Amino acid sequence: MLSRLLSHDLPRSRPLAVLLALLVLGLAFAPFLFPGVKALNVAAKVLIFIALVVSFDLLLGYTGIVSFAHTMFFGIGAYGIAISATALGPTWWALIVGALGALVLSLLLSLLIGLFSLRVRAIFFAMITLAVASAFLTLASQLSDITGGEDGLTFRLPELLSPGFTLMEDDFQGPFGPVALNGRFITYYLLFVCVTAMFLVMLRIVNSPFGRVLQAIRENDFRAEALGYRTVVYRTLSNVIAASFATLAGCLLALWLRYNGPDTSLSFEIMLDILLIVVIGGMGTLYGAIIGSVVFLVAQSYLQDLLRWAGALTEGVPLLPALLTPDRWLLWLGLLFVLSVYHFPTGVVGKLRERASLKGTKEGA
């Protein structure tokens, strides 16, 4: 049953399976295990980035396409919800209209980018997508009447998803403190269900005959073309699917934040975060999106607190307090990334699978 649910793409490593199970269970029960506001925000952001990174990995890891326009589709989804909810009010209909409108726009843009740009190779396509994403960011900042400009849009959601809505008058007593069963609680589990469904659908896509052709194109597009596959068509379809998933991830971001602006969903920093997460988790391994997102976002969110604690602990020791100041968290984050790449050149998932494969080979011999 589990194998069919995962499209027969199992972790293939016992330590990896245990690690993934712990992370998924942690995300599933995050409101009860980590009841604080900051912890829940980090868990929700991890879920959103899992969906976003999975969609990007379809392009980079499975098709071999480097695109810098992915955050554009992410922003389209977030703006779709924000603009629709602002114009139509806090209704479910507004959310449906916003999501559908964003999907249609993303489909058209990704189709145009695919048809006109995917015939060029490697770095040229990457530069074209970077130019398109930059133009869209500028457009979103200048169309203040529609997008709110640099200030962005703050909007309300249906009552069921609003923080003021409560399922119980008294908080639920969880193992680590009281848990408020309110609209934020419901929104979190809406995100969890949607991201889980998106992840399973993407697993099915990459393990289908279509996904196998994408991997063949990644390995040798000339040979795939010689075998009779229209590589431009397959690359375009891959671009459209990835853009659609990124758009849905943007919709989820807007639902959680109840706000969207240029820096929130269109920033190039988000594109860099996606690339780092893919490298940490492992390219061409969707499970890497789960591990990479958790590692990167938890480090990004709590590294300053850890450095503050370490700085206070080493007070009086020469040089160490200056190095461990919270202001230097980017330095330590970069160091952690370099160490992860050095010890896990194929990502965490790739490394664990390689070890399991070597162990199986030795036992078979």
Side-chain angles (χ1 to χ4, degrees), residues 201-238:
V201 169
M202 188 61 80
L203 263 181
R204 186 72 200 106
I205 290 172
V206 300
N207 289 288
S208 67
F210 173 77
R212 301 301 181 195
V213 174
L214 294 183
Q215 293 172 59
I217 293 171
R218 176 196 65 196
E219 296 300 326
N220 194 319
D221 57 343
F222 294 107
R223 185 172 295 178
E225 188 82 38
L227 289 172
Y229 295 107
R230 295 292 302 276
T231 57
V232 172
V233 174
Y234 279 91
R235 287 181 176 184
T236 302
L237 288 175
S238 174

Side-chain angles (χ1 to χ4, degrees), residues 73-150:
F73 301 113
F74 186 56
I76 287 173
Y79 270 115
I81 295 294
I83 293 171
S84 181
T86 302
L88 301 179
T91 63
W92 292 103
W93 175 244
L95 301 184
I96 294 172
V97 169
L100 290 177
L103 282 172
V104 170
L105 179 58
S106 291
L107 188 147
L108 293 174
L109 286 175
S110 60
L111 190 61
L112 287 172
I113 292 173
L115 291 177
F116 289 103
S117 304
L118 283 174
R119 292 183 181 274
V120 298
R121 301 296 178 189
I123 191 65
F124 301 105
F125 175 73
M127 291 299 100
I128 290 172
T129 56
L130 178 60
V132 173
S134 300
F136 193 86
L137 174 60
T138 303
L139 192 65
S141 300
Q142 292 182 350
L143 295 177
S144 55
D145 292 339
I146 300 174
T147 64
E150 295 291 341

Side-chain angles (χ1 to χ4, degrees), residues 149-313:
E150 295 291 341
D151 295 329
L153 294 172
T154 302
F155 54 92
R156 295 172 57 200
L157 294 175
E159 184 181 1
L160 183 65
L161 303 180
S162 64
F165 178 83
T166 55
L167 290 172
M168 297 172 55
E169 291 185 4
D170 298 325
D171 291 345
F172 178 81
Q173 291 300 320
F176 299 100
V179 180
L181 302 182
N182 54 17
R184 298 293 279 173
F185 178 87
I186 297 171
T187 306
Y188 179 82
Y189 278 104
L190 175 63
L191 262 64
F192 182 82
V193 170
C194 290
V195 171
T196 301
M198 290 167 67
F199 185 86
L200 294 176
V201 169
M202 188 61 80
L203 263 181
R204 186 72 200 106
I205 290 172
V206 300
N207 289 288
S208 67
F210 173 77
R212 301 301 181 195
V213 174
L214 294 183
Q215 293 172 59
I217 293 171
R218 176 196 65 196
E219 296 300 326
N220 194 319
D221 57 343
F222 294 107
R223 185 172 295 178
E225 188 82 38
L227 289 172
Y229 295 107
R230 295 292 302 276
T231 57
V232 172
V233 174
Y234 279 91
R235 287 181 176 184
T236 302
L237 288 175
S238 174
N239 196 45
V240 170
I241 294 171
S244 300
F245 274 70
T247 302
L248 291 175
C251 293
L252 296 178
L253 176 72
L255 286 179
W256 181 254
L257 296 180
R258 305 190 307 280
Y259 163 83
N260 187 53
D263 293 334
T264 306
S265 57
L266 292 171
S267 171
F268 190 69
E269 291 180 6
I270 299 175
M271 191 70 245
L272 295 177
D273 292 347
I274 296 170
L275 289 169
L276 293 176
I277 291 171
V278 168
V279 172
I280 292 170
M283 288 188 291
T285 60
L286 296 187
Y287 295 115
I290 300 175
I291 296 174
S293 296
V294 172
V295 170
F296 182 80
L297 292 172
V298 168
Q300 189 183 58
S301 301
Y302 289 101
L303 194 55
Q304 285 180 292
D305 296 335
L306 181 62
L307 288 173
R308 188 177 294 109
W309 173 80
L313 198 65

